[in-house]
Amino acid sequence: MDAVAGLLDGPRARGAFLLRSLLAPPWSMRIEDEAPLTLVPVVRGSAWIGMDAGPQPHEPPLEAHLDEGDVALVRGPRHYTVADSPGTAPQMVSDAVGACRAVGDAPSPLVDLGVRTWGNDPDGPTVLLTGTYPLDGEVGGRLLSVLPPLVVLRRGDLDADLVSLLAREVSQDRPGQEAVLDRLLDVLLIGALRAWLDRGEAPGWYRADADPVVGHALRLMHHDPARAWTVESLARTVGLSRAAFSRRFTELVGEPPMSYLTGWRLTLAADLLLEPGATVGSVARQVGYGTPFALSAAFTRVRGMSPTAHRERAGAGTAAVAGPGPGSGAGAGAGAA
């Protein structure tokens, strides 16, 4: 497994929030669900997306116009607005628990229009999809750490058939439909990420993957994270001295080899802990920690919570998002539009 495959293997939607919106101007939704990651493909028409400034001075507000065929990736927890134009005041607000409420005393202009579909006009000129990963464990932390808050992929940047297929399936209600939609959302996200990585904004580790020495080391770590790798053993395997390898790896990837390996192991652990039947001990063995205590200590130090707390939080999140449809206030992540 190469470093890119390892990163893209992370997204695993589990009952993801998916919604189709049929809209005629004026329309505007304020999204405060703080979901880790949301995709907003424009199937027909156009839209505007505006993201609030972040808490740090280097996190200014962001905005973009979306045309037919464009796909926006929105990384939480910053709040944002999706509208027909920046001048339209929000009519609905989707909050952090997945509830959707009208702004002011007026009745909601957006109503239930069928399976996973809402809007203000069934024949509206704008059709948007929203696919939201509501839980941290569904998207690897390493992926979220490298993505900008807002990425816009233009028509032609990725395979248009991916959006068309999701658009066709989202309003169907057939046996196993939730599983089909989860996998289609994953494929669309992976396609979008590959398109973004091919642009000049890609992080250092992506460029490092093509390096004959560092790329080889990255593949070794991704393919066998449970092995007791050291800087010396990696350097020996790729044919460099310990010092030369460490220097070259750090320059290209942006962090030392063991720091990268720790991050990769814990990213894997975070996903594996959510699998049915997984224990801290079984996950520890899979990702290279000799004991459950060693994994727990590293996980808590780096991620700020214990493996057990991580799993409980994910379980609570699943219960919170498994609820009502768009017509009953789950605009759930109406992340969207």
Side-chain angles (χ1 to χ4, degrees):
M1 179 188 292
D2 60 41
V4 177
L7 179 81
L8 300 184
D9 188 51
R12 296 185 189 89
R14 298 176 177 87
F17 174 81
L18 281 142
L19 184 70
R20 181 178 64 154
S21 300
L22 310 179
L23 302 157
W27 57 269
S28 178
M29 273 82 67
R30 172 81 175 157
I31 312 303
E32 299 179 354
D33 60 8
E34 301 184 357
L37 187 63
T38 297
L39 285 77
V40 183
V42 181
V43 179
R44 187 176 73 221
S46 63
W48 172 86
I49 184 167
M51 175 170 279
D52 294 1
Q56 303 301 322
H58 65 277
E59 298 176 321
L62 302 168
E63 64 176 318
H65 179 81
L66 306 175
D67 288 314
E68 184 172 314
D70 293 348
V71 177
L73 303 184
V74 184
R75 177 172 60 80
R78 285 162 68 172
H79 300 170
Y80 60 99
T81 299
V82 185
D84 65 308
S85 75
T88 304
Q91 302 158 333
M92 299 287 296
V93 177
S94 171
D95 64 23
V97 297
C100 221
R101 65 182 187 277
V103 175
D105 298 327
S108 170
L110 303 178
V111 297
D112 194 339
L113 295 176
V115 177
R116 299 185 194 86
T117 303
W118 78 341
N120 62 7
D121 185 344
D123 300 313
T126 294
V127 178
L128 304 183
L129 301 181
T130 300
T132 298
Y133 290 80
L135 306 176
D136 290 336
E138 294 180 343
V139 187
R142 186 166 292 274
L143 168 59
L144 294 176
S145 71
V146 300
L147 266 180
L150 177 64
V151 174
V152 175
L153 299 163
R154 299 301 180 185
R155 184 186 184 110
D157 286 345
L158 71 165
D159 190 342
D161 289 341
L162 296 177
V163 174
S164 297
L165 183 57
L166 183 61
R168 186 166 66 247
E169 291 286 336
V170 73
S171 61
Q172 296 193 35
D173 190 17
R174 302 172 61 188
Q177 194 69 18
E178 186 175 280
V180 170
L181 292 172
D182 282 349
R183 298 293 72 78
L184 288 176
L185 182 62
D186 288 345
V187 172
L188 177 59
L189 174 57
I190 289 171
L193 291 171
R194 289 172 64 182
W196 172 69
L197 289 169
D198 285 338
R199 302 196 316 205
E201 309 159 27
W205 58 260
Y206 178 70
R207 297 185 295 273
D209 191 64
D211 183 85
V213 171
V214 176
H216 186 193
L218 287 169
R219 286 185 286 276
L220 289 170
M221 288 187 275
H222 280 256
H223 178 71
D224 192 5
R227 186 167 175 176
W229 294 112
T230 64
V231 175
E232 184 174 355
S233 66
L234 285 166
R236 184 170 58 250
T237 303
V238 300
L240 284 184
S241 71
R242 185 181 187 280
F245 168 69
S246 184
R247 181 170 58 251
R248 185 163 173 173
F249 189 101
T250 303
E251 288 175 353
L252 291 178
V253 177
E255 61 183 317
M258 292 300 98
S259 174
Y260 181 90
L261 179 60
T262 296
W264 172 238
R265 283 172 166 168
L266 296 180
T267 294
L268 284 178
D271 286 339
L272 291 170
L273 284 163
L274 303 184
E275 295 295 330
T279 66
V280 177
S282 66
V283 171
R285 290 189 294 274
Q286 291 179 73
V287 299
Y289 286 91
T291 66
F293 176 79
L295 173 60
S296 294
F299 200 96
T300 303
R301 183 184 70 253
V302 174
R303 300 178 73 95
M305 69 178 70
S306 69
T308 301
H310 164 73
R311 187 155 47 194
E312 290 174 348
R313 180 184 178 209
T318 301
V321 300
S328 54

